[in-house]
Amino acid sequence: MLRGKAKLMNPQTVASVALATDYDLVVLGAGAAGMTAALVGALEGLRVLLVEKTAQVGGTSSRSAGTLWIPGNFSMTQDAACDDVTEARTYLDALVGERSPAYLRDAFLRHGPEMLRFLLARTEIRFKPCPKHADYHPELPGSRPGGRPVEPELFDGRRLGEAFDLLRPTIPEFTVFGGMMVSKADIDLLLKAGRQWAGSVHAARVGGRYLRDRLSHRRGTRLTMGNALCGSLLEACLTHGVDLRVATEVTGIEALANHRYRLSLASAGGQRKFVEAKHGVIFAGGGFSGNAQARARHLPQPTPEYTAAFEGDDASSQALAQSLGATLATPREHNAWWFPCSIVPRADGSQGVFPHIIMDRAKPGLIAVRRDGKRFVNEGVSYHAFSRAQYASDAVPCWLVCDATFLRRYGLGAIRPGGWGLHRAIKSGYVRTARTLEALAGLVGVDAAGLVDSAQRMTRFARTGVDTDFGKGGDPLSRQNGDSTQRPNPCLGAIETAPFYALQVAPADLGTSLGLKTDACARLIDELGDPIPGLYACGNDMQSIMGGQYPAPGVTLGPAMTFAYVAARDAAANC
C-alpha cells in the first residue's frame, strides 16, 4: 500500500541551508549506497554531508529493479534465517570461490540481515520478500528457489513534496504513457486487462492514478523498483537531518592530522568551499561505467558501446580515493554486471538502452541466434549469463527471433504486447520483419539455412516439451519468467506464423564490479594491505564481493547497502 506523507519531512537543499565548515562524516555519491551510508550515519548521531555532483539523486540505483539479495532476511524465522545464511555461504563458496576474499562474503552475510532490521526499525523504509525470485545457479549446493531477495514496497513520490524533483527518474523504457512506472506484478495484471476482472480493475486504478498525477507532476508519483527504493531513502535522509548537496563536485581531498580530511567543493554556480570530515569519508560514486578510457582498459573486447548505468559514474570518486593511497583490486575476466540490450530510437532523436532482463527471452517462441543462424544459449538464463555467453560464443551482437504469435502475446523489447509501437519500431529500424524466415535472414545478415533449422528445431521442442540443445525451460529461472499457461513447457513455443521478426541485442553493463580494495569494515586498503583510517568505500566504488559472478537477483544492491551500513557504523564507532 502507498503510505501517507511523512510527518518529519524537512527537505534540506543547497538553497535552503547554509553549508557547515565541518562534519563528522562526508559521503560522496547519492545512489542507494551513498544515501544508505548517509542515513545510517545520521541515525547513529553523526553530522553528515551527502554530496552529489549531478542535479538529482539516485544514480544507477534509481533506474534499477531495486532488488536486494539478503540471505537470512526478515521474512524468515530466526532458526530458518540462520540455516539460510549457512546455506548461502555454501552457495557463494561454490560459485565465487577464491575470486574474492571469503572474509568479505562473511561480512556481507553477517551484516545484511542486520542492515535490513536497522532500516525497518528506525525508518519508514519498507521492503517485501520475493518468494519466487530464484538463485541463478540452482545446480550448485546451497542455492534456493526464492526467498533471499527483497524489494522495496511501492512508494508515493508525493511524500517528498518539492524534493520529488531531486529524484532521478527511471529510464523511459521502464514506463508507459510517458511516465507511469509499472512493476513486474503490475505487468502480469495489466496483460490480463480486458480478459480478467482483476486485470481490468488494476488497469483502471493504476491508470487513473497516473492521470491525476499528470495534472501536477511531470511524471507519475506511484514509484516502483529502484525509484521506490531511492525515493524512500531520499525521504529518510531529509527527515533525519542529512545535509544534502546536489550539483556539487568534490574536486580534491587533503589528509590532515588525526585522520581528518579537508574536502574542496565546487558547486554548479561556481562557488567553492572547504569542509572538514572529522571521522570519515565514504566513497560511493558508482564505479567507472561512464568513463570511456576505463571501459576500454577493463571491459572485454569488443568493448561494449552501451551501458544502463548512470552516466555520472565516471570513476572520479575512485580516482580521489586512489590519490589518498587507496588501491584498485585485481581486474577479473569481465569486471562488470551484464545484460543484453537493444537500442531504441526515441522520438526526440536520442537513443534508449532497453534491458532484456525478464520480459521476452524466456517466453515460449523466441530464439537467440548468431551470424550462422544457430542458437548458442538457453535464452532463459540470467541476463548476466546470457551476455557472457554472447562473448564466449562469438555472438556479439546476436538476434532475437520470433513470429507474429509471439509478438502479439508478449511483445519484443520495447514493443509492447499486442504490437503496441510495432509500426514505429519497423519504420525506425529497431526491429526487422519479413514474411519468411529466409527473407528475414537476408535482412539481418545471418545464415538462412541455419536460422530455418533453428526455428524448426524449436518448434519440435515446443511439442515434446524438451529443449535437447540448451535446456530452455528445464531450470527454475527459465520457468519462472516463461508463460505458465504454455504446455507442456512454459518456455518453448513454435516459430511458424508469419510475419517473422528479428531484434538485435548486444551486451551492455548494469554497472562495473572492479573497484577499490576494502577490509571487512569497508575501510579502504593501501598498497601494503593496511586499512586507511577514516576512508571507506561501498557500492560499485568498492570491489565486488562476488568476484565477477552473478549469483542471484539483487547481488549488486544487497552488498552495496550492507557495506554502506557497515562503513557508517564503523565511522560512528570511531567518533
Side-chain angles (χ1 to χ4, degrees), residues 13-289:
T13 63
V14 175
S16 62
V17 178
L19 191 66
T21 57
D22 59 75
Y23 291 87
D24 296 313
L25 180 66
V26 178
V27 181
L28 280 58
M35 285 195 283
T36 300
L39 172 62
V40 172
L43 289 169
E44 290 293 276
L46 303 183
R47 188 174 190 182
V48 181
L49 172 63
L50 174 60
V51 183
E52 169 57 44
K53 64 185 175 184
T54 66
Q56 293 176 303
V57 306
T60 300
S61 306
S62 65
R63 51 177 74 164
S64 72
T67 305
L68 284 68
W69 192 67
I70 305 290
N73 64 61
F74 61 86
S75 68
M76 307 174 192
T77 65
Q78 185 173 354
D79 289 342
C82 183
D83 290 342
D84 187 53
V85 167
T86 300
E87 292 171 1
R89 182 177 291 107
T90 299
Y91 178 54
L92 291 179
D93 286 347
L95 179 63
V96 179
E98 296 181 357
R99 295 181 179 90
S100 77
Y103 66 81
L104 289 178
R105 300 198 296 273
D106 287 342
F108 163 65
L109 292 171
R110 181 169 65 255
H111 295 296
E114 182 183 299
M115 177 271 297
L116 283 181
R117 290 193 299 269
F118 181 93
L119 294 180
L120 290 170
R122 301 188 62 177
T123 76
E124 292 194 15
I125 298 171
R126 292 294 177 266
F127 299 93
K128 57 184 178 181
C130 303
K132 296 182 179 180
H133 283 30
D135 291 341
Y136 288 159
H137 292 274
E139 75 281 4
L140 294 179
S143 64
R144 283 194 57 163
R148 286 171 175 164
V150 298
E151 62 185 12
E153 289 187 356
L154 292 173
F155 181 77
D156 189 342
R158 295 173 298 188
R159 293 167 61 90
L160 291 169
E162 293 181 359
F164 180 59
D165 288 337
L166 289 177
L167 179 63
R168 188 174 306 282
T170 190
I171 59 174
E173 288 71 32
F174 272 178
T175 68
V176 294
F177 306 128
M180 185 177 85
M181 291 198 69
V182 290
S183 65
K184 185 178 185 297
D186 290 327
I187 293 171
D188 291 342
L189 280 170
L190 293 174
L191 289 177
K192 299 173 183 177
R195 296 186 292 115
Q196 294 184 9
W197 176 251
S200 299
V201 170
H202 190 71
R205 181 183 298 119
V206 173
R209 163 67 185 272
Y210 177 63
L211 291 175
R212 292 192 300 273
D213 280 344
R214 292 308 298 267
L215 295 175
S216 55
H217 297 87
R218 286 178 290 182
R219 64 185 181 106
T221 61
R222 179 183 179 272
L223 305 184
T224 67
M225 303 188 295
N227 231 233
L229 175 64
C230 290
S232 60
L233 282 167
L234 174 59
E235 179 194 48
C237 283
L238 298 176
T239 299
H240 293 285
V242 171
D243 194 346
L244 170 65
R245 289 295 181 274
V246 297
T248 301
E249 186 172 2
V250 178
T251 58
I253 305 179
E254 176 188 2
L256 305 176
N258 301 319
H259 312 314
R260 295 165 66 101
Y261 295 90
R262 178 185 290 118
L263 295 85
S264 175
L265 307 184
S267 68
Q271 295 181 332
R272 294 184 177 274
K273 187 165 184 177
F274 291 97
V275 300
E276 289 189 12
K278 296 189 293 184
H279 299 293
V281 177
I282 299 179
F283 296 86
F288 63 85
S289 288

